[in-house]
Amino acid sequence: MNNVLGLLTIQDGPEVKLNKNILSSKSQNNFDTDGKLLFDHNLNELYYIYFYRNQIVRMNSDLDLIGTVKTIDTTSVSPIETVKLKDGTIKMSKPSQVVNQSTTLHNGLIFNRSGLMGKHEFRESWKSSSIIDVYKINPYQYWGSFYVQHRGGKSLSHMLVTDQYFFALVGNDLIRYKIRKPLTDGMNGGKPKNHKTE
């Protein structure tokens, strides 16, 4: 009943390698290990971003742990309430707070939509925009944040980044933003803001 990460190799016959030590659970259920797996083609590394805590796991392409780092959110454990049904299935009894709602990665930068309002965030800005936090991977540091405005009462659901553009899916609209020089410099080894790593 636990989530694990696995590596499927199809060369020279299919082979599956499971690593049960990468994802760490902080509760009696397996929901707190839910997250999203991303691959950086430039660094040839994998990243697992937890949905319900402020943690990112960094691995090489063989699923060997490189280390764990934290996002700027302070939620290390998001309480998850569960209920066991008659057939033995375990489900969430009510939705939990999502710390990291949507994440994408490009050329050494992680773009993460924060799911919780920050301590210094303006409530009106939070209600009308999605907050995107940017992290530099190597070395891992917080770079900065920017806003993506809601449209027609809809918030950002998906995003994609290229060398020049940030694409946002907001409701039924696909919006293209030009990436400014500070971020493009970050893709090429610029100096981000200092941030504590774990």
Side-chain angles (χ1 to χ4, degrees), residues 54-142:
N54 62 344
Q55 195 175 49
I56 300 173
V57 180
R58 184 178 179 183
M59 300 158 280
N60 63 22
S61 58
D62 291 323
L63 286 187
D64 297 319
L65 179 66
I66 296 175
T68 58
V69 291
K70 290 183 177 180
T71 64
I72 58 173
D73 192 277
T74 58
T75 305
S76 59
V77 178
S78 183
I80 299 174
E81 297 182 15
T82 61
V83 60
K84 189 172 183 178
L85 305 181
K86 291 181 179 179
D87 63 358
T89 304
I90 298 175
K91 292 188 175 182
M92 284 190 188
S93 56
K94 65 178 183 179
S96 179
Q97 288 184 319
V98 179
V99 177
N100 304 307
Q101 286 194 333
S102 180
T103 312
T104 192
L105 178 154
H106 180 71
N107 203 5
L109 293 179
I110 293 175
F111 295 76
N112 182 57
R113 181 191 173 192
S114 176
L116 302 176
M117 187 172 73
K119 181 170 60 174
H120 303 291
E121 210 78 59
F122 291 107
R123 185 167 294 278
E124 289 307 312
S125 297
W126 175 258
K127 288 181 178 180
S128 62
S129 308
S130 298
I131 314 301
I132 310 299
D133 300 321
V134 184
Y135 302 90
K136 184 175 172 62
I137 290 174
N138 196 21
Y140 178 82
Q141 289 178 293
Y142 170 63

